[in-house]
Amino acid sequence: MITKVLSSLYSWIILVVLVIVVMTANSFYVVSTLNDLSALEARLFTTNRVINAVNRLHVAILRVESGQRGYMLTDDEEYLTDYTETLGVIGELMDEVEVSSFSSDINDQSVRIEELLKLTKAKVNEVIEVVELLKEGREQDAISLVRSDKGIKLYKRFEKLFREIDSSERNMQGTHLANLMSLRRDSVNTLIISSATTLLLIITVFLLLKINSREHEKYQADLESVNEDLESRIEERTQELSLYSDELARSNRELEDFAFVASHDLQEPLRKIRAFGNRLESGYNDVIDERGKDYLARMLNAAERMSMLISDLLAFSRVSTRGKEFDEVDLNNTVRSVLGDLEIAIDEKSAEINVSDMPVIRGDKSQLEQLFLNLISNALKFQSEGVTPVVTITSKEATESDTRDILMSEEYDWVKITVKDNGIGFDQSFAEKIFAPFQRLHGRSEYKGTGIGLAVCRRIVERHNGQITAMSAPGQGATFSIIMPVDSEPFGSNNNNGERQ
C-alpha cells in the first residue's frame, strides 16, 4: 500500500509542491535576512557616525580650551597654533554632527544635538573672546572673564549633554549588535532546518526513484510476459488465419467452378429446352390446342428468364473473382462509351442525357462501364408512360459530411458522382432493399429484369472502396449518389464494404 502511494502521480505532485514551498520559503527568508542585515548595518553605521562626530567635536572643544589656557599662562603664541587649526575645522565638525543627527534612531536625539551645537558655539565664542583680549593687551579683562566661571559653566553643560548623547548612542549601538547576533543565530538555525529539510527531500526523492525503478522492473517483467503470451496467441491466430485463408481460397475456387458450371453446364440444358420449344412452336403449332400453346409459351419464357438469371448471377459473382487491376480511368470516356451502347434505347424513348465534366480516377474500367450502364438503363426503363426520360449525371468533390461515415476517409481524396432521373421513383423505405440481389419492387409483367442490376452496382462500388445510396419518392424520380476515392486500390480503405454505420 505504501509503495503504491509513494509511486503514484499524486505523491510526485505533492513532492514537487513541497520542494517549491520549501525553496520559496527559504528564498523569502534569505531575502528578509539580507534586508534585516542591511537595515542593521545602516543603523550601526548611523550610530557610529553620531558617536564619532560628537566625540571629535568634544575633543575639538578641549583642544581649543587647552590652547587658550596655554597662551594665557605663558604668553607664548606657539600654543595658538593648535588653537587656530582646531578653530578652522570646528565648523565642519559641527556640520557633521548636525547631519548625523537626522538619521539617528533615538527619539529627541536631534533636539539634544541641536542644544549641543548651541553650547559649542557659545563655548567657542567665549574662548575666542579671551584670546582676543589677551592679544589686545587687556590681560585683566581676560582674567576677569575667565574668573567669571562663564566658560566653566558652558563646558559643564556641554560635557553633560555630550555624555547623554554618547551614552544613548552607545546603548542603541549595543541594541543593534544584540539584534545582529540574534539574527545570526536565527540564520544558523534556519540554515540547519533548511539543510535538514533539503536532505529529507533528497532522501524522499531517492526513495521514490528507487521504488519507481523497482516498479518499472516489475512492469517490464510483466510486459515481457504479456508480450510472450501475445506472441504465442498471435502465432496461434496466424495459424488459424492461414487455415481460414486456405478455406477461403478453396471457397473461391468452388465459386469459380460454380461460375463455370453456370456459364456452360447449366446453360446447355436451357438452350436445348429453348431450341426444342421453338421447334414445337414452329413445327407443331397446328396440332397443339390453345392450352398447349399457352403451356409452351410459359415454358419458353421461364427458360429465357432462367438463362438471364444465370447470366446475371454469373456477372454478380465475377465482380470480385474476375475483377481487373486498377488503372487510370477517364469517366468522361466511360460514360460516352455507355451512351454509345445505349444509343438505340435512348433514341427510342427520345431521352435527354445531361453529363457534366467527370474526373479521372483509379479503377476497373470494365466494371465502371457496367456501373454506369446499369444505372442509366434503369433510369430509361423505370419511366411512366408518355414521359420523356431525363437523366442528369454530375460530379463534384465530396465534402467532409459526405465521407463522415467512411472509415479512414482522411487517407484518400473523394469524389461524389450523382445519377438523377425523372422516373417512377420508389418509397424511401426500400432504399436499401433495392441493392439486395433478386429484389424487385414491381412485377415481371410491368418491367423486365432479374433484380440483380443494382446489387452488381453496389458490389462494383464496394470493390472501389466507395458507397452508393439512393434517394427517391414515388413519382419524383430517383437520385443515386456514389462516393468513391480518386486514387485507391481494391478494397484498400477498410470502409465496412461501403455500408453505412
Side-chain angles (χ1 to χ4, degrees), residues 301-368:
N301 288 335
E304 183 179 0
R305 289 199 308 272
M306 185 64 180
S307 178
M308 291 176 57
L309 184 62
I310 292 173
S311 298
D312 289 344
L313 183 61
L314 180 62
F316 181 76
S317 66
R318 284 182 171 178
V319 171
S320 298
T321 60
R322 294 293 180 90
K324 298 179 181 179
E325 294 293 329
F326 279 15
D327 199 358
E328 298 292 332
V329 179
D330 188 345
L331 294 184
N332 291 296
N333 297 333
T334 300
V335 175
R336 192 179 301 113
S337 175
V338 170
L339 294 179
D341 294 340
L342 295 173
E343 183 178 1
I344 296 175
I346 293 173
D347 291 341
E348 287 179 351
K349 294 194 174 186
S350 300
E352 178 184 344
I353 311 296
N354 301 311
V355 183
S356 67
D357 186 47
M358 304 294 285
V360 176
I361 66 172
R362 281 185 58 81
D364 187 331
K365 182 176 181 296
S366 61
Q367 290 187 351
L368 292 174

Side-chain angles (χ1 to χ4, degrees), residues 210-278:
K210 190 69 175 178
I211 293 173
N212 285 340
S213 176
R214 292 180 179 177
E215 290 295 320
H216 176 72
E217 293 176 356
K218 179 182 177 182
Y219 292 148
Q220 186 69 24
D222 294 341
L223 182 61
E224 291 177 356
S225 175
V226 171
N227 286 338
E228 292 177 358
D229 184 53
L230 286 176
E231 290 177 358
S232 175
R233 293 185 181 183
I234 290 173
E235 185 176 357
E236 294 176 0
R237 188 60 178 171
T238 302
Q239 294 177 355
E240 293 178 2
L241 291 176
S242 178
L243 294 176
Y244 292 150
S245 178
D246 294 340
E247 181 67 21
L248 181 60
R250 184 186 64 79
S251 177
N252 286 337
R253 287 195 302 272
E254 291 178 354
L255 184 60
E256 292 278 354
D257 294 340
F258 168 76
F260 179 80
V261 170
S263 62
H264 293 82
D265 298 348
L266 292 181
Q267 290 283 12
E268 179 61 26
L270 284 175
R271 282 194 292 269
K272 289 185 178 181
I273 291 173
R274 295 173 64 185
F276 285 114
N278 289 330

Side-chain angles (χ1 to χ4, degrees), residues 20 116-117 135 397:
I20 293 174
L116 181 69
L117 294 176
K135 286 182 178 181
E397 183 178 351

Side-chain angles (χ1 to χ4, degrees), residues 435-490:
F435 291 106
F438 311 115
Q439 294 295 325
R440 296 174 56 89
L441 302 182
H442 308 88
R444 294 187 180 90
S445 60
E446 297 179 79
Y447 301 97
K448 294 182 179 180
T450 59
I452 206 169
L454 289 178
V456 173
C457 290
R458 168 168 278 186
R459 196 73 176 270
I460 292 172
V461 173
E462 288 174 355
R463 184 168 182 259
H464 287 75
N465 302 295
Q467 290 182 347
I468 181 170
T469 57
M471 294 290 293
S472 182
Q476 298 182 14
T479 300
F480 290 88
S481 299
I482 304 168
I483 301 174
M484 300 174 66
V486 176
D487 190 5
S488 179
E489 295 296 331

Side-chain angles (χ1 to χ4, degrees), residues 69 75 129 133 173 187 195 221 258 286 333 380 446:
R69 291 179 179 177
D75 199 23
E129 185 180 358
L133 289 173
Q173 186 182 47
S187 300
S195 301
F258 168 76
D286 296 336
N333 297 333
L380 297 175
E446 297 179 79

Side-chain angles (χ1 to χ4, degrees), residues 19-277:
V19 169
I20 293 174
V21 170
V22 171
M23 292 179 63
T24 304
N26 288 338
S27 299
F28 275 113
Y29 178 77
V30 168
V31 172
S32 177
T33 302
L34 291 175
N35 291 335
D36 292 342
L37 286 173
S38 298
L40 285 174
E41 289 178 354
R43 291 173 181 175
L44 283 172
F45 175 77
T46 301
T47 303
N48 290 332
R49 184 179 178 184
V50 173
I51 292 173
N52 292 334
V54 296
N55 273 281
R56 285 197 297 271
L57 184 61
H58 182 220
V59 170
I61 294 296
L62 292 177
R63 291 178 67 182
V64 169
E65 190 174 33
S66 176
Q68 174 214 32
R69 291 179 179 177
Y71 177 68
M72 185 176 179
L73 292 175
T74 62
D75 199 23
D76 186 357
E77 292 188 0
E78 187 67 28
Y79 285 97
L80 294 180
T81 302
D82 189 48
Y83 163 81
T84 303
E85 293 177 356
T86 305
L87 285 179
V89 298
I90 200 167
E92 296 178 1
L93 295 176
M94 291 176 66
D95 292 338
E96 184 179 355
V97 171
E98 184 177 11
V99 171
S100 64
S101 67
F102 296 145
S103 55
S104 177
D105 295 330
I106 301 174
N107 295 331
D108 299 331
Q109 188 73 299
S110 60
V111 177
R112 285 194 287 268
I113 291 177
E114 185 179 356
E115 181 65 23
L116 181 69
L117 294 176
K118 291 179 180 180
L119 292 174
T120 300
K121 291 179 181 179
K123 178 61 179 175
V124 169
N125 290 333
E126 185 267 335
V127 172
I128 292 173
E129 185 180 358
V130 171
V131 172
E132 291 299 323
L133 289 173
L134 290 173
K135 286 182 178 181
E136 295 175 358
R138 299 166 59 186
E139 293 181 3
Q140 293 298 324
D141 293 336
I143 292 173
S144 298
L145 182 58
V146 171
R147 289 179 177 177
S148 65
D149 296 334
K150 177 181 177 182
I152 294 175
K153 291 178 180 180
L154 286 173
Y155 177 75
K156 287 182 177 180
R157 290 173 59 192
F158 173 87
E159 186 178 23
K160 179 181 178 183
L161 195 55
F162 158 73
R163 294 192 182 281
E164 290 178 1
I165 295 172
D166 183 73
S167 176
S168 61
E169 290 294 337
R170 291 186 183 278
N171 290 335
M172 182 59 66
Q173 186 182 47
T175 302
H176 292 335
L177 288 172
N179 292 335
L180 186 61
M181 296 301 295
S182 176
L183 182 61
R184 180 182 177 184
R185 288 192 300 271
D186 293 342
S187 300
V188 172
N189 294 334
T190 303
L191 179 61
I192 294 173
I193 294 173
S194 299
S195 301
T197 305
T198 304
L199 180 62
L200 179 61
L201 289 176
I202 293 174
I203 294 174
T204 304
V205 171
F206 178 78
L207 178 62
L208 286 175
L209 290 175
K210 190 69 175 178
I211 293 173
N212 285 340
S213 176
R214 292 180 179 177
E215 290 295 320
H216 176 72
E217 293 176 356
K218 179 182 177 182
Y219 292 148
Q220 186 69 24
D222 294 341
L223 182 61
E224 291 177 356
S225 175
V226 171
N227 286 338
E228 292 177 358
D229 184 53
L230 286 176
E231 290 177 358
S232 175
R233 293 185 181 183
I234 290 173
E235 185 176 357
E236 294 176 0
R237 188 60 178 171
T238 302
Q239 294 177 355
E240 293 178 2
L241 291 176
S242 178
L243 294 176
Y244 292 150
S245 178
D246 294 340
E247 181 67 21
L248 181 60
R250 184 186 64 79
S251 177
N252 286 337
R253 287 195 302 272
E254 291 178 354
L255 184 60
E256 292 278 354
D257 294 340
F258 168 76
F260 179 80
V261 170
S263 62
H264 293 82
D265 298 348
L266 292 181
Q267 290 283 12
E268 179 61 26
L270 284 175
R271 282 194 292 269
K272 289 185 178 181
I273 291 173
R274 295 173 64 185
F276 285 114

